[in-house]
Amino acid sequence: MMYPKIPLAQRIIEICQQKGVQHIVISPGSRNAPLTIGFTNNPFFKCYSIADERCAAFFALGIAQQLQKPIVVVCTSGSALLNYYPAFAEAFYSQIPLVVISADRPQSKIDIGDGQTIRQENVFANHSLYNANLLENSSTENDNNIQMALHISVTQKGPVHVNAPFEEPLYETVTELQVQPKIIDFNTEEKQFKIENLSIETWSNATKKLVLVGELLPNSVEQKYLDVLANDPSVVVLTEKTSNLHHPTFIDQIDTLITPFTDEDFKAFQPEILLTFGGMVVSKRIKAFLRKYKPAHHWHVDELRAYDTFGALTNHFETKINTFLSQLFTEKTVESSYQSSIAEIWKSRVAKHQQYIAQIPFSDFKVFDFLCKNVPSNIQLQVSNSSAIRYLQLFDLNKTVQVFCNRGTSGIDGSTSTAIGAALASDLPTMLITGDISFLYDSNALWNNYIPKNFKIILLNNSGGGIFRILPGHQETETFNTYFETSHQLNASHLAKMYGLDYFEVNDEATLQQHYKEFLNQNEKPSILEIFTPEKENNGILLEFFRRLKGF
């Protein structure tokens, strides 16, 4: 087997193998040549070459999102490393294990005017769970640092940074391994958890308990616990599409439910106990409601972190949600009309929703209604940020569909790259629903040789950042159109041709129904279905929907 001659590079590669870190995403460069040589010549590793560093990091993030294992992304020295930061921050807030290994110049070459040098040590300090700043010479200290980084990435679920200085020559190789790093066996004892009786009693006696679930991996909560929540008349469960939780009594269209509420309605809905678990919440309206009408108790369940999102956090239960729920429930039931009253309201909302859909013209709203009714079963659905994920929240969706979105930082950067990485790592067919600005911003994601043949992109092109049209402060001015909405006349047809993707164009309902079937049946190569909707009508149709729910 071929190894890099530099001992430090050998140690990094050997430790990764011994720790079972298998997927390596490499951004081409020269300073990282020792790592590239070592990883690519070892059959244990699955290596991927992604030229654009920002895309590479989000691609790795997508793989890690699905496998829930640390994925390594490797780059050369200098500004290349900084392009990893958006995905690094997303990994931090979404609790995804991501390992950045950056090649660096020796310390003596930093800040002397040498090319491709920046201050790389601790460059991700604000969002890194661990920074392993290695020394150029091979050492036990380096070995321990590398292993600690990998360990923390797994146990604390997030990104770490390993910075490795290499001196030239960089491309020399040897045929035998010259190092034998001592592998550390980290003993990680699971924390013992027990709910205090006072908390159980508080839960049992409360007549208005609101459960709000953010982003979760599919099958995170045992069905028997969901059934108990669903059958408790004092409990209302609100979920988001990214929660991947389902029950007939759960409401997963939060904005549709609460937007029409009056002050009196909000006071009636105000919970005594708010129980939250899962990651970030999309709905701005539920956040505004809970910040104004605060619960007496806000309990958050998470092994690692608890954000005081609503300014009302009273308890952080540091355990897994199944462990928590297994201890929470008792035989005691309390009389309450909390769930039944919301169920009646929800029934009315659904009827008004259906009436409205039948009346409106072709638009973003109409398209999302069509897509949610016709998305294939048993697929992985990746969704970009801004308008796309918010529209998806407003519609019923096939319960077999797994939904993912980069809600850690909620950025539009990297949505397509993440989806491609996730598609590669998943056994399910993958579809991405994205907006035009997000797609164009990450168009280098298609510069990728690992896109599965059945990968599909549904691109809604409304000629700009439609989210800004529904935010307060929208005015039809040149400044708004240019600097906020970023109006454009671009399309994806030439990108599809350049990267060898099939392309379908839709401009109305008739062509949507026609081309959608063709689009779904195309599995010989990746494909794009670009749907053009009216730029200036979309926001009016969406806002009118919420007005109709209020009965206007």
Side-chain angles (χ1 to χ4, degrees):
M1 192 182 296
M2 185 186 298
Y3 301 96
K5 185 176 181 180
I6 296 175
L8 176 58
Q10 288 188 18
R11 287 182 179 274
I12 292 171
I13 294 158
E14 183 66 12
I15 289 170
C16 284
Q17 181 172 351
Q18 292 295 323
K19 291 294 182 178
V21 179
Q22 193 171 22
H23 295 269
I24 314 294
V25 180
I26 299 171
S27 303
S30 182
R31 187 60 50 170
N32 57 334
L35 295 173
T36 302
I37 291 168
F39 281 126
T40 59
N41 283 283
N42 187 328
F44 172 80
F45 298 106
K46 295 181 180 179
C47 297
Y48 314 90
S49 175
I50 306 291
D52 184 310
E53 281 88 2
R54 188 178 70 191
C55 295
F58 276 109
F59 175 78
L61 182 85
I63 299 174
Q65 175 202 83
Q66 293 299 304
L67 300 182
Q68 291 296 298
K69 295 179 180 179
I71 306 302
V72 167
V73 58
V74 178
C75 71
T76 188
S77 63
S79 60
L81 177 61
L82 302 181
N83 288 291
Y84 286 167
Y85 212 141
F88 199 94
E90 177 64 34
F92 176 82
Y93 287 107
S94 286
Q95 298 188 19
I96 295 175
L98 184 70
V99 179
V100 167
I101 303 180
S102 56
D104 199 359
R105 258 97 168 142
Q107 193 62 40
S108 61
K109 299 290 180 67
I110 309 301
D111 288 340
I112 65 168
D114 209 26
Q116 282 190 290
T117 57
I118 62 170
R119 300 172 187 176
Q120 292 184 199
E121 292 187 354
N122 307 313
V123 74
F124 301 128
N126 282 341
H127 297 96
S128 181
L129 299 180
Y130 190 81
N131 299 295
N133 297 306
L134 306 183
L135 303 174
E136 185 180 351
N137 294 326
S138 182
S139 67
T140 301
E141 181 184 358
N142 278 341
D143 295 350
N144 295 344
N145 252 333
I146 297 163
Q147 292 180 72
M148 181 59 71
L150 296 177
H151 173 69
I152 287 177
S153 183
V154 173
T155 57
Q156 297 187 25
K157 300 179 184 178
V160 296
H161 178 206
V162 177
N163 192 62
F166 298 128
E167 182 58 283
E168 297 178 0
L170 302 169
Y171 294 87
E172 292 184 342
T173 61
V174 294
T175 56
E176 292 185 6
L177 195 64
Q178 300 169 325
V179 301
Q180 288 185 324
K182 182 179 179 181
I183 301 303
I184 303 171
D185 182 18
F186 293 96
N187 293 317
T188 54
E189 294 183 7
E190 190 169 340
K191 294 180 182 177
Q192 296 299 311
F193 174 81
K194 190 176 189 313
I195 302 180
E196 294 182 359
N197 290 333
L198 180 60
S199 295
I200 297 174
E201 186 177 344
T202 301
W203 175 268
S204 298
N205 291 333
T207 59
K208 295 197 297 183
K209 301 185 276 272
L210 179 62
V211 179
L212 176 61
V213 188
E215 190 173 23
L216 275 182
L217 291 171
N219 306 310
S220 293
V221 186
E222 291 184 40
Q223 187 62 44
K224 62 183 179 181
Y225 301 133
L226 300 181
D227 292 339
V228 173
L229 290 171
N231 294 325
D232 188 331
S234 66
V235 173
V236 171
V237 180
L238 300 182
T239 66
E240 300 207 297
K241 291 297 187 292
T242 52
S243 74
N244 293 295
L245 279 190
H246 308 289
H247 194 282
T249 68
F250 295 176
I251 296 173
D252 67 352
Q253 298 164 50
I254 299 173
D255 289 357
T256 301
L257 173 69
I258 70 172
T259 298
F261 276 180
T262 62
D263 182 63
E264 184 179 347
D265 294 329
F266 278 125
K267 287 178 180 176
F269 190 44
Q270 182 177 9
E272 298 166 48
I273 300 177
L274 170 67
L275 172 62
T276 59
F277 55 93
M280 300 296 188
V281 171
V282 176
S283 172
K284 294 178 69 174
R285 287 178 168 89
I286 197 68
K287 293 175 189 175
F289 158 58
L290 291 168
R291 286 166 183 165
K292 184 176 180 180
Y293 303 87
K294 297 182 188 297
H297 307 274
H298 173 199
W299 300 350
H300 187 74
V301 182
D302 187 277
E303 292 178 273
L304 299 169
R305 304 181 208 168
Y307 294 117
D308 192 7
T309 304
F310 316 108
L313 186 68
T314 53
N315 274 299
H316 173 203
F317 296 99
E318 297 180 55
T319 188
K320 296 177 181 178
I321 186 59
N322 287 309
T323 302
F324 176 80
L325 294 177
S326 71
Q327 298 182 27
L328 179 66
F329 301 135
T330 65
E331 296 296 324
K332 179 180 178 180
T333 58
V334 63
E335 287 189 15
S336 174
S337 61
Y338 192 52
Q339 185 183 112
S340 60
S341 62
I342 292 300
E344 282 300 310
I345 294 171
W346 180 240
K347 186 177 179 180
S348 171
R349 297 282 193 269
V350 171
K352 288 182 178 180
H353 186 131
Q354 292 171 347
Q355 292 169 6
Y356 186 69
I357 282 292
Q359 301 169 3
I360 61 173
F362 190 71
S363 56
D364 283 349
F365 200 95
K366 193 83 169 180
V367 168
F368 269 92
D369 176 67
F370 174 88
L371 294 176
C372 289
K373 287 176 179 174
N374 292 280
V375 66
S377 299
N378 300 304
I379 69 163
Q380 173 190 177
L381 185 64
Q382 294 277 336
V383 189
S384 73
N385 274 302
S386 290
S387 294
I389 188 61
R390 297 186 187 282
Y391 268 111
L392 191 76
Q393 298 278 94
L394 301 176
F395 299 90
D396 195 24
L397 186 65
N398 187 322
K399 303 303 184 281
T400 67
V401 174
Q402 299 182 2
V403 181
F404 299 88
C405 179
N406 285 345
R407 290 306 297 177
T409 63
S410 305
I412 65 167
D413 47 350
S415 295
T416 308
S417 296
T418 303
I420 294 171
L424 187 73
S426 175
D427 293 331
L428 297 177
T430 301
M431 178 182 289
L432 167 68
I433 298 180
T434 182
D436 49 320
I437 298 298
S438 180
F439 174 80
L440 293 168
Y441 196 80
D442 193 29
S443 60
N444 267 0
L446 302 181
W447 185 11
N448 183 314
N449 294 324
Y450 312 101
I451 307 176
K453 290 181 180 180
N454 61 352
F455 181 71
K456 300 186 182 304
I457 300 172
I458 296 179
L459 167 59
L460 273 83
N461 190 336
N462 53 23
S463 305
I467 188 72
F468 291 102
R469 288 185 164 271
I470 59 175
L471 295 177
H474 164 244
Q475 294 178 335
E476 201 62 47
T477 64
E478 183 178 347
T479 295
F480 173 84
N481 292 339
T482 302
Y483 297 102
F484 289 90
E485 186 187 26
T486 55
S487 296
H488 65 86
Q489 299 300 318
L490 303 175
N491 64 70
S493 61
H494 292 291
L495 280 171
K497 184 177 181 181
M498 180 168 71
Y499 291 115
L501 278 67
D502 263 354
Y503 176 81
F504 303 87
E505 179 179 326
V506 167
N507 292 282
D508 52 38
E509 286 188 64
T511 53
L512 175 57
Q513 294 187 16
Q514 175 190 345
H515 290 316
Y516 187 70
K517 293 178 181 178
E518 299 173 27
F519 169 73
L520 290 183
N521 291 331
Q522 169 55 272
N523 291 307
E524 295 303 314
K525 57 182 177 179
S527 52
I528 298 176
L529 177 70
E530 185 165 22
I531 306 171
F532 294 90
T533 61
E535 175 188 8
K536 293 183 171 58
E537 286 83 357
N538 283 316
N539 64 309
I541 291 169
L542 178 60
L543 295 174
E544 180 62 20
F545 167 68
F546 291 117
R547 284 192 288 268
R548 294 286 185 93
L549 290 176
K550 293 179 180 180
F552 297 149

